[in-house]
Amino acid sequence: MSSKETGFTSRLGVLTATLGSAVGLGNLWKFPALTGENGGAAFVFIYILACFILGLPLIIAEISLGRKGQGDVFTIFKRLSPNTAWISIAWMGIASGTFLLAFYSDVAGWVITYLIKAIGGDLISTDHLITTEIFKHTSTTPSIALAGQFFFLAIIAFVVLFGVSKGIERVTKILLPLLTILLIIVAIKNLTLPGAAEGLSFLFKPDFSKVNSTVILYAVGLAFFKLSLGMATMLTYGAYIPKDQNIPMLATRVMFADLIISLIAGIAIFPAVFTYGFEVTDGPSLLFVTIPAVFASMPGGTFFTVIFFLLAVFATMGASMSLIEASVAGLIGIGITRKKAVLAVIAIMTFFGIFATLSLTPVLSHTTIFGKNIFSFYDFISSNMLMPLGGFLTAIFIGWKMNKEDIFFEVSNGGTLNNTVFLEIWYILLRYVVPVLIIVVLLNGLGFLSPLFQILGF
Ligand code: TRP
């Protein structure tokens, strides 16, 4: 397919589609869950640092590489570095995308089930025993969880069949602003709750004694997950982006907007946690138990709950579509039709997805891989291992393998952007800081550095 057919049509289209990939369950579900499990504000602080030091340089890197390579992930590496092992970045991206959507679609299925329940008016309650029970029922009943997941995967298959610019742009352009507005309304309501002060201090007052190697590993993983990095996604999208777009500007906007949405989601959730007697460590259930409880205490609660979960479904779709688009474009690149490619990718992801979903139900709850259930294992291997590794290799590829002039030419739009100082800083980050940090975080997270730290007396 030529870039004309698939390219994004307008400047706003580029921004919303890239943002549409970034904003999703990561903001509404994963950010609050990890923040709660990892001690609150100190985690948030390290996550924000990771967004600036690792996320921003890498999102610029991936989009630029994609636009320079003009094609699917495989074509990009074949063009920029023919017959080398660098193409493994593309394969790794596709692999982590498969693991990611496998568990992501399970959570997306819960969101759909919640939407249906909300329409029936079944969700609204401030009693944490009731909301917790509804969540358990949704996520651990095999038939319900699988039905939600299949339904979700079927919808995105349908939408992606219509192609990038038509399908993805249209949906995200309208819905992201609406979702943000609704989140702000919920956040404001939260600020009036009795637990507001406690919730805010949990979210924003760091206790750095809670920071350890696991906290850092998860914060870095979240930065990758949030910005859709270290996988083929931003590379693929880069190829669709017009040559006159200012990539550093686009990337910075996406990073800030995404971060702000996560923080608003945090404000929309944590005061309610302290008000209604949930536990911050409830993790994956936080989104699903707190939001209905907050709406229950508002006039028009049922209506708002329906709209909220509807918008959450759409945000999740935008992110998921970007994710499968990378694999689909790869298959199209080797000569498969779009239709077959979409069906093949969805079939593979559904296959892996079934195991993730069942691992939270009694059917497969006893099966563990490296001490984690299948759901958490998929999440860990993609967010905390493959994505950082993909980011590491991308940084090395640009910083050490590519010609500096070539990549500067791409990121400065042929020199017309006059951003040399910025580019030099970006280049140093990619060449030294990003790779070293990622390796230290990965080795540290896996426990390989603790003997060294002991020798050094830390
Ligand atoms: N960024 C999305 C979110 O926060 C998740 C996601 C979508 C993603 N596509 C991706 C993560 C590609 C990594 C790679 O919900």
Side-chain angles (χ1 to χ4, degrees):
M1 225 178 264
S2 76
S3 66
K4 254 222 167 82
E5 273 170 61
T6 49
F8 296 122
T9 44
S10 63
R11 182 180 299 245
L12 191 63
V14 172
L15 182 63
T16 47
T18 318
L19 199 58
S21 168
V23 176
L25 290 174
N27 310 69
L28 304 174
W29 167 75
K30 203 170 195 203
F31 171 78
L34 286 178
T35 301
E37 284 166 345
N38 291 289
F43 174 86
V44 175
F45 180 81
I46 293 177
Y47 163 63
I48 294 176
L49 267 190
C51 283
F52 278 90
I53 303 176
L54 301 173
L56 191 56
L58 277 171
I59 188 168
I60 297 172
E62 291 196 14
I63 294 178
S64 312
L65 215 53
R67 192 174 70 174
K68 186 159 181 52
Q70 281 299 309
D72 60 88
V73 263
F74 296 109
T75 309
I76 291 169
F77 286 101
K78 278 186 203 146
R79 285 222 176 103
L80 300 180
S81 178
N83 299 322
T84 59
W86 289 104
I87 200 156
S88 51
I89 298 181
W91 282 111
M92 269 176 41
I94 304 282
S96 54
T98 307
F99 286 124
L100 195 125
L101 198 63
F103 76 88
Y104 204 77
S105 57
D106 183 19
V107 183
W110 306 341
V111 178
I112 290 193
T113 309
Y114 264 62
L115 173 61
I116 295 167
K117 284 190 197 288
I119 293 170
D122 295 342
L123 232 43
I124 294 287
S125 171
T126 53
D127 182 340
H128 77 269
L129 289 178
I130 296 182
T131 48
T132 305
E133 191 48 44
I134 295 176
F135 177 72
K136 269 211 190 112
H137 184 69
T138 303
S139 59
T140 64
T141 312
S143 57
I144 297 179
L146 285 176
Q149 182 178 36
F150 291 167
F151 188 54
F152 177 76
L153 287 166
I155 303 176
I156 53 170
F158 185 78
V159 180
V160 172
L161 278 174
F162 289 104
V164 171
S165 49
K166 282 180 271 159
I168 301 180
E169 256 181 68
R170 214 182 278 161
V171 180
T172 39
K173 213 180 276 183
I174 320 161
L175 295 165
L176 278 185
L178 273 183
L179 178 67
T180 312
I181 293 171
L182 199 62
L183 269 181
I184 292 175
I185 295 176
V186 187
I188 292 173
K189 172 70 198 178
N190 262 266
L191 294 177
T192 68
L193 295 175
E198 225 178 325
L200 288 181
S201 90
F202 180 76
L203 200 53
F204 294 117
K205 220 169 133 213
D207 169 4
F208 288 109
S209 67
K210 295 202 169 126
V211 177
N212 57 34
S213 60
T214 321
V215 169
I216 298 174
L217 184 72
Y218 279 98
V220 168
L222 181 64
F224 279 89
F225 183 95
K226 278 306 315 122
L227 297 171
S228 308
L229 290 173
M231 290 188 25
T233 303
M234 287 298 166
L235 288 164
T236 307
Y237 267 30
Y240 299 147
I241 289 181
K243 287 282 183 192
D244 63 351
Q245 290 284 318
N246 184 338
I247 294 177
M249 186 76 85
L250 169 72
T252 310
R253 285 194 177 137
V254 169
M255 189 206 71
F256 272 106
D258 179 68
L259 188 57
I260 290 169
I261 295 177
S262 290
L263 294 175
I264 299 173
I267 301 174
I269 285 176
F270 284 104
V273 171
F274 291 99
T275 305
Y276 297 116
F278 297 112
E279 293 292 331
V280 286
T281 48
D282 279 347
S285 68
L286 276 186
L287 162 70
F288 296 94
V289 293
T290 52
I291 297 280
V294 176
F295 282 131
S297 64
M298 281 167 72
T302 303
F303 172 76
F304 279 117
T305 316
V306 171
I307 303 293
F308 179 84
F309 282 104
L310 184 66
L311 293 173
V313 169
F314 281 112
T316 310
M317 280 171 57
S320 308
M321 290 186 295
S322 76
L323 209 148
I324 72 165
E325 180 61 24
S327 310
V328 168
L331 287 180
I332 293 176
I334 55 171
I336 294 172
T337 63
R338 180 164 199 101
K339 201 170 160 198
K340 281 197 187 133
V342 171
L343 295 176
V345 169
I346 290 286
I348 293 171
M349 292 183 176
T350 307
F351 174 78
F352 281 96
I354 291 171
F355 295 99
T357 302
L358 291 181
S359 75
L360 300 185
T361 74
V363 181
L364 277 183
S365 61
H366 299 297
T367 309
T368 55
I369 310 177
F370 296 120
K372 294 180 187 303
N373 63 33
I374 299 172
F375 182 102
S376 311
F377 174 74
Y378 283 176
D379 185 9
F380 185 79
I381 198 88
S382 52
S383 312
N384 302 106
M385 294 290 134
L386 289 175
M387 287 184 209
L389 207 55
F392 170 80
L393 292 175
T394 308
I396 300 283
F397 183 75
I398 292 190
W400 297 91
K401 164 82 177 105
M402 276 182 86
N403 214 327
K404 185 174 170 186
E405 286 73 42
D406 285 351
I407 190 71
F408 273 34
F409 188 84
E410 189 63 46
V411 189
S412 65
N413 295 358
T416 56
L417 289 181
N418 281 327
N419 50 1
T420 325
V421 177
F422 174 85
L423 285 184
E424 290 292 348
I425 299 173
W426 172 72
Y427 196 66
I428 291 174
L429 282 174
L430 275 189
R431 216 167 135 87
Y432 306 103
V433 181
V434 171
V436 171
L437 277 183
I438 294 179
I439 284 301
V440 170
V441 167
L442 279 182
L443 292 179
N444 189 26
L446 290 174
F448 288 133
L449 294 188
S450 31
L452 184 70
F453 287 155
Q454 263 168 16
I455 296 169
L456 295 174
F458 285 131

